[in-house]
């Protein structure tokens, strides 16, 4: 079992002329647990921004992100896994000056096959629902097929 934590405070200059300052604080942690042929891990981050929207002052925003993943060694050469990611935040309503809360989430199933020494084949997809872009249900996203060759 491994546990971790972090905290960070900073200031960013925003806008086309970098004329708006945004003070922010972010903190979080992670956990990593191995048991037999399984690896369960995840993390969480919490962020507060004082003025994150260029051109708009006095509109602070809060964001919470988290993920959890389970990887399994099915065979020494075959490693399936499943991750869930969630992002809860706020954005400016384009039709008003109010903040709108949203939650984006996605499942990321995948599999890695160690074909030969120094050759890895991977396949993953996303099953996603992004309220920030108007989604109301989970849909299958893009598939990614990867080949890694070590030289």
């Amino acid at each position: 079992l491994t546990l971790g934590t972090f905290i960070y405070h900073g200031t960013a200059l925003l806008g086309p002329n970098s004329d708006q300052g945004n003070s922010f604080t972010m903190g979080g942690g992670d956990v990593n647990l191995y048991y037999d042929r399984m690896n369960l891990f995840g993390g969480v981050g919490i962020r507060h921004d004082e003025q994150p929207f260029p051109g708009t002052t006095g509109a602070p925003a809060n964001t919470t992100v988290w993920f959890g993943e389970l990887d399994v060694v099915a065979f020494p050469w075959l490693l399936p896994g499943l991750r869930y990611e969630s992002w809860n935040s706020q954005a400016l309503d384009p039709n008003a000056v109010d903040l709108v809360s949203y939650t984006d989430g996605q499942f990321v199933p995948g599999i890695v096959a160690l074909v030969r020494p120094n050759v890895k084949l991977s396949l993953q997809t996303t099953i996603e629902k992004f309220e920030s872009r108007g989604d109301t249900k989970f849909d299958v996203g893009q598939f990614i097929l990867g080949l890694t060759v070590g030289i």
Side-chain angles (χ1 to χ4, degrees), residues 29-110:
D30 68 314
V31 62
N32 193 349
L33 174 68
Y34 285 92
Y35 177 74
D36 197 24
R37 299 185 312 172
M38 296 177 285
N39 180 206
L40 178 64
F41 59 101
V44 64
I46 300 169
R47 179 176 172 140
H48 175 76
D49 289 87
E50 289 297 326
Q51 298 187 100
F53 308 108
T56 304
T57 58
N62 296 305
T63 302
T64 303
V65 296
W66 65 271
F67 80 96
E69 181 168 341
L70 175 64
D71 292 333
V72 178
V73 179
F75 297 100
W77 50 270
L78 189 65
L79 306 121
L82 177 64
R83 180 172 65 242
Y84 182 77
E85 304 168 348
S86 177
W87 177 283
N88 303 301
S89 194
Q90 297 163 315
L92 281 177
D93 184 341
N95 302 319
V97 186
D98 297 331
L99 290 178
V100 176
S101 296
Y102 65 89
T103 301
D104 291 344
Q106 67 180 0
F107 292 94
V108 184

